[in-house]
Structures are given as C-alpha cells and as structure tokens.
Amino acid sequence: MNRITVGLGCAVGAVLVVGAATASASPSAAVHGGHTVTAHVTGEKAGHVCRIAGAGIDMPWQPVGADGTVDLDTGPVSGGRHEARVVCADPRSGDPSVRTVGREDDVFTGHWAPAFEFLHHHRLEFLTPREH
C-alpha cells in the first residue's frame, strides 16, 4: 500500500513540474480596449520587440524588458471594434522571426468601449458594432 501511495505521489509531482515548466515556457499576451488598445506581454525573451497589430492599428515596436515583460499602448485609434493581436520578433532576425503571441481578439475603443467589452465578454456580440 505504501509503495503505491509513494509511486502515485511521485507521478503527480512529476506531472505538476512538467506542466509548470511547459506553461511558463510560452509567452502570453492580454489585450484590452478602452480609449486605446493596450496589451501586457509576459514570458517573452528579453531583447525581443513586440507591438499590437491589426487593421487601423499602427504602432512602433517596443523592446521586451529583462524580466520578459512589456506593456504596449497603441495611442489614439479610431473608435469601434478592432481585431487586435500582439506580434513579437527577434530584431536581429527581422521579418522571418515575427510571430503572434497569444491569440487575435476583438477589442473595442471609444466612449462606449467598456459596455461593448462587457457584451463581447458575455458572448452578446450581436449587440456590438461591426468592424469599421
């Protein structure tokens, strides 16, 4: 009985360690709307650069800090729905290294952005404005 318990405990511990290592190995991005489109990127390689991309969004590349994070802000963009995504790259490799971090998401900007974000989050997209 004790051997089974110890073996099971070791197996569960190994799964947790491998899972934690895997989860922390890939970068992630949280994109939000509001007055501007913002994103917080974590787990990216220091020295890489990231930016928010999408139709009607044009922003410069921002360097990733030594801690693997970067906060992005598009600055003024037109109000409405935007399909936004975070892209990161190794500046030494250029265009071939550009890749999407996380997933593309609909975000809203403008005066009614908080209400539209709420509706979108609760899957009531039919009440939100279409893309511009």
Side-chain angles (χ1 to χ4, degrees):
M1 185 76 160
N2 287 340
R3 288 183 188 175
I4 293 173
T5 304
V6 170
L8 183 59
C10 289
V12 169
V15 167
L16 291 175
V17 168
V18 170
T22 303
S24 64
S26 61
S28 64
V31 181
H32 301 283
H35 294 293
T36 63
V37 180
T38 61
H40 180 72
V41 180
T42 58
E44 184 56 61
K45 290 183 181 177
H48 282 194
V49 292
C50 298
R51 69 185 184 99
I52 300 171
I57 299 174
D58 185 29
M59 71 169 292
W61 293 96
Q62 301 293 319
V64 175
D67 62 352
T69 66
V70 62
D71 289 311
L72 305 171
D73 190 327
T74 61
V77 294
S78 61
R81 180 191 294 241
H82 302 275
E83 288 182 0
R85 67 190 180 285
V86 172
V87 291
C88 295
D90 181 348
R92 293 168 290 165
S93 300
D95 287 345
S97 68
V98 175
R99 63 190 166 25
T100 299
V101 173
R103 64 181 177 87
E104 186 172 78
D105 198 10
D106 286 339
V107 295
F108 300 88
T109 57
H111 182 72
W112 293 101
F116 294 143
E117 289 280 336
F118 175 83
L119 292 171
H120 177 69
H121 178 73
H122 292 286
R123 307 216 185 274
L124 300 170
E125 284 92 1
F126 63 90
L127 297 173
T128 62
R130 298 309 317 154
E131 293 179 37
H132 52 286

